[in-house]
Amino acid sequence: MFKIVRPAFALMLLTLGSVAYAADTPGVTATEIKVGGVFPFSGPASSLGIIGRSIQAYVQSINDRGGINGRKINYIAYDDAYSPPKAVEQVRKLVESDEVSFLFGQLGTPGNTAVAKYLISKAVPSISIVSGSNKFTNVADFPLTTTGIVSFDTEGKIYAKFLTKTLPDAKYAILYQNDDLGKDYLNAFKAILGSRFDKKVTAIPYELSDPTVESHIVNLRSSGADALLLAATPKFAAQAIRKAAEIGWKPAILLNYPSSSVGATLKPAGLDKAIGVMVGTNMKDPSDPQWAHTEGMKNYLTFIDKYMPGVDIADFNILYGYTQGMLLEHLIKQCGSDLSRENIIRQAKSLKNVVLPTLLPGISVNTSDKINMSYTQMRLQRWSGTAWELFGEVLDASSE
């Protein structure tokens, strides 16, 4: 009798253990895991809100496929209008009212900065945040955080090295957002140029509350610079590209990655006015014919047709959100049956050679307990007027 009952008894204990575990793990039940996100669905950076919509749509596709290990993902995304106080309000709501397991993909340096200490105090992981601020790469200060884009510092150094090789004798102009986003690019140029910075660079900041940066572009032109770095969000980057063209200024223009979207930046600027603009990237361009027959791009376009019909596939931010969704899926799968917050951050820092089908060849996701950046590699590309054209090799954080 004992031998007959024993397997059933063991199964009962296992089941009870699972129920207890789920009850003790915030945001996790036997059938669901709650994940939170905060995005600028409105406000000055609203063009980036589509990233959050894309993640939501990808999560829906996961759930339509049955979820992960029997659990559906309840992805709750709120609007902070790119306002730090609003970000604090929304994150508190996610943690204390919605009781999410962790945050994923929160967008914006100001908002992530505002909520960082609170999330640490609540022991809530914030995974793959959409901020390239260099401070978030400090794993000692941000033990529960991983980043989802190449750091602004790394990107800025790649650009500075590129300019010193291709235009070594030129002067450089920098238009930068007057916050952590813009200042990281500025400091990256200072690090590469050293004592030459003051003689070679004219830099002008702008505020998010400014209606336009057109006067800044006129002033930067007068510096005699032959290259212009736009360390900006899409609205202001578009204004800058358009104004430079209108006044006949033709410097070599480098965009920062957050403003690399054709739909959000180049179209408002004028596709013809943006010819020659360069930017670093780590993802395939969905409008580039060379990727059209790859499995990853076919799946992406099928996803768009079903879950986001009518959107502009030239908007790079949609592809980025889709890629974020794939990374979220990979992370939860890698966590297996242990969805504790401790294991979430442990696995988020244990991603090894994760190749996502929308990333450029040679680029993969690698994290560790010492490196919390999902991406450290980029390739440069140039706008032809109709498409981005890649050039050069894959560059990484230590590229010379």
Side-chain angles (χ1 to χ4, degrees), residues 1 42 86-87 104 114 119-120 124 126 139 143-144 156 205 238 246 261 266 277 297 313 319 328 331 349 351 385 399:
M1 176 65 72
S42 64
K86 189 68 173 178
F104 183 90
L119 290 173
I120 290 174
V124 178
S126 188
V139 295
L144 301 180
E246 288 175 354
S261 169
L266 301 193
V277 167
M297 199 54 65
I313 65 165
L319 179 68
L328 173 62
L331 172 62
K349 292 184 177 181
L351 300 172
S399 175

Coordinates of all heavy atoms in Angstrom, one line a residue, residues 1 42 86-87 104 114 119-120 124 126 139 143-144 156 205 238 246 261 266 277 297 313 319 328 331 349 351 385 399:
M1 N 0.8 -1.2 0.0 CA 0.0 0.0 0.0 C 0.9 1.2 0.0 O 0.6 2.2 -0.7 CB -0.9 0.0 1.2 CG -1.8 1.3 1.4 SD -3.0 1.5 0.0 CE -4.1 0.2 0.4
S42 N 2.6 59.8 -24.2 CA 2.3 61.2 -24.5 C 3.5 62.0 -24.2 O 4.5 61.6 -23.6 CB 1.1 61.6 -23.8 OG 1.3 61.6 -22.4
K86 N 5.8 61.7 -12.8 CA 4.8 60.8 -13.3 C 5.3 59.4 -13.3 O 4.6 58.4 -13.0 CB 4.3 61.2 -14.7 CG 3.1 60.5 -15.2 CD 1.9 60.8 -14.4 CE 0.6 60.2 -15.0 NZ -0.6 60.4 -14.2
A87 N 6.6 59.2 -13.7 CA 7.2 57.9 -13.7 C 7.2 57.3 -12.3 O 6.9 56.1 -12.1 CB 8.7 58.0 -14.2
F104 N 10.0 45.7 -17.0 CA 10.8 45.4 -18.2 C 10.6 46.5 -19.2 O 9.5 46.8 -19.6 CB 10.3 44.0 -18.8 CG 11.2 43.6 -20.0 CD1 12.3 42.9 -19.9 CD2 10.8 44.0 -21.3 CE1 13.1 42.5 -21.0 CE2 11.5 43.7 -22.4 CZ 12.7 42.9 -22.2
A114 N 14.6 58.6 -11.7 CA 13.7 58.9 -10.6 C 13.3 57.8 -9.8 O 13.0 57.9 -8.6 CB 12.5 59.7 -11.2
L119 N 12.9 51.3 -6.5 CA 12.9 49.9 -6.9 C 13.9 49.0 -6.1 O 13.6 47.9 -5.8 CB 13.2 49.8 -8.4 CG 12.0 50.3 -9.3 CD1 12.5 50.3 -10.8 CD2 10.8 49.5 -9.2
I120 N 15.1 49.6 -5.9 CA 16.1 48.9 -5.1 C 15.5 48.6 -3.7 O 15.6 47.5 -3.1 CB 17.4 49.7 -5.0 CG1 18.1 49.6 -6.4 CG2 18.3 49.1 -3.9 CD1 19.3 50.5 -6.5
V124 N 12.8 45.1 -6.4 CA 12.1 44.8 -7.7 C 13.1 45.0 -8.9 O 13.6 46.1 -9.1 CB 10.9 45.7 -7.9 CG1 10.3 45.4 -9.3 CG2 9.9 45.6 -6.8
S126 N 14.6 45.7 -12.5 CA 14.2 46.5 -13.7 C 15.1 46.1 -14.9 O 16.2 46.5 -14.9 CB 14.4 48.0 -13.4 OG 13.8 48.8 -14.4
V139 N 27.2 48.3 -12.0 CA 26.4 47.2 -11.4 C 26.4 47.3 -9.9 O 25.5 46.8 -9.2 CB 26.9 45.8 -11.9 CG1 26.7 45.6 -13.3 CG2 28.4 45.7 -11.5
P143 N 22.2 47.3 -8.8 CA 22.3 45.8 -8.7 C 21.2 45.1 -9.3 O 21.3 43.9 -9.7 CB 22.5 45.5 -7.2 CG 21.8 46.6 -6.6 CD 22.1 47.8 -7.4
L144 N 20.0 45.7 -9.5 CA 18.8 45.0 -10.0 C 18.4 45.5 -11.4 O 17.3 45.3 -11.8 CB 17.6 45.3 -9.0 CG 17.8 44.8 -7.6 CD1 16.6 45.1 -6.7 CD2 18.2 43.3 -7.5
G156 N 28.9 57.2 -28.0 CA 29.6 58.4 -28.2 C 31.1 58.2 -28.5 O 31.6 58.9 -29.4
P205 N 23.6 73.0 -25.5 CA 22.5 72.2 -25.0 C 21.1 72.8 -25.3 O 21.0 73.9 -25.6 CB 22.7 72.3 -23.5 CG 23.3 73.7 -23.3 CD 24.1 74.0 -24.5
A238 N 14.9 65.7 -35.6 CA 14.2 66.0 -36.9 C 14.3 67.5 -37.2 O 14.6 67.9 -38.3 CB 12.8 65.5 -36.9
E246 N 17.8 73.6 -44.5 CA 17.2 74.8 -45.0 C 18.2 76.0 -45.1 O 18.1 76.9 -45.9 CB 16.1 75.2 -44.0 CG 14.8 74.3 -44.1 CD 13.8 74.6 -43.1 OE1 14.1 75.4 -42.2 OE2 12.7 74.0 -43.1
S261 N 15.2 56.2 -35.9 CA 14.0 55.8 -36.6 C 13.7 56.6 -37.9 O 13.7 57.8 -37.8 CB 12.8 55.8 -35.7 OG 11.6 55.6 -36.4
L266 N 13.6 60.7 -39.5 CA 13.9 61.1 -40.8 C 12.7 61.6 -41.7 O 12.9 62.6 -42.4 CB 14.6 60.0 -41.6 CG 15.9 59.4 -40.9 CD1 16.7 58.5 -41.9 CD2 16.8 60.5 -40.4
V277 N 23.0 61.3 -43.5 CA 23.0 61.2 -42.1 C 23.5 59.8 -41.7 O 23.1 58.8 -42.3 CB 21.6 61.5 -41.5 CG1 21.5 61.1 -40.0 CG2 21.3 63.0 -41.6
M297 N 13.1 38.3 -40.4 CA 12.3 39.5 -40.9 C 11.0 39.0 -41.5 O 10.0 39.7 -41.3 CB 13.1 40.2 -42.0 CG 12.6 41.6 -42.3 SD 12.5 42.6 -40.8 CE 14.3 42.8 -40.4
I313 N 6.2 50.4 -41.0 CA 7.3 49.5 -40.7 C 8.7 50.1 -40.8 O 9.7 49.6 -40.3 CB 7.3 48.2 -41.6 CG1 7.6 48.5 -43.1 CG2 6.0 47.4 -41.5 CD1 8.0 47.3 -43.9
L319 N 10.4 47.8 -34.5 CA 11.2 46.6 -34.5 C 12.0 46.5 -33.2 O 12.2 45.4 -32.7 CB 12.2 46.8 -35.7 CG 13.2 45.6 -35.8 CD1 12.5 44.3 -36.3 CD2 14.3 45.9 -36.9
L328 N 12.5 39.4 -23.7 CA 11.6 39.1 -22.5 C 11.2 37.7 -22.5 O 11.3 37.0 -21.5 CB 10.4 40.0 -22.5 CG 9.3 39.7 -21.4 CD1 9.9 39.9 -20.0 CD2 8.1 40.6 -21.6
L331 N 14.2 35.5 -21.6 CA 14.5 35.6 -20.2 C 13.6 34.7 -19.4 O 14.0 33.9 -18.5 CB 14.4 37.0 -19.7 CG 14.5 37.3 -18.2 CD1 15.9 36.8 -17.7 CD2 14.3 38.7 -17.9
K349 N 21.3 38.6 -15.9 CA 22.8 38.8 -15.9 C 23.5 37.5 -16.3 O 24.7 37.4 -16.1 CB 23.2 39.3 -14.5 CG 22.7 40.7 -14.2 CD 23.3 41.2 -12.9 CE 22.9 42.6 -12.5 NZ 23.5 43.1 -11.3
L351 N 22.9 36.0 -19.6 CA 22.6 35.8 -21.0 C 23.8 35.6 -21.8 O 24.7 36.4 -21.8 CB 21.8 37.0 -21.5 CG 20.5 37.3 -20.8 CD1 19.9 38.6 -21.3 CD2 19.5 36.1 -20.9
G385 N 18.6 58.2 -48.7 CA 17.5 58.9 -49.3 C 16.3 57.9 -49.3 O 15.1 58.4 -49.3
S399 N 36.4 49.0 -29.1 CA 36.9 49.3 -30.5 C 37.9 50.5 -30.5 O 37.6 51.5 -29.9 CB 35.7 49.5 -31.4 OG 36.2 49.9 -32.7

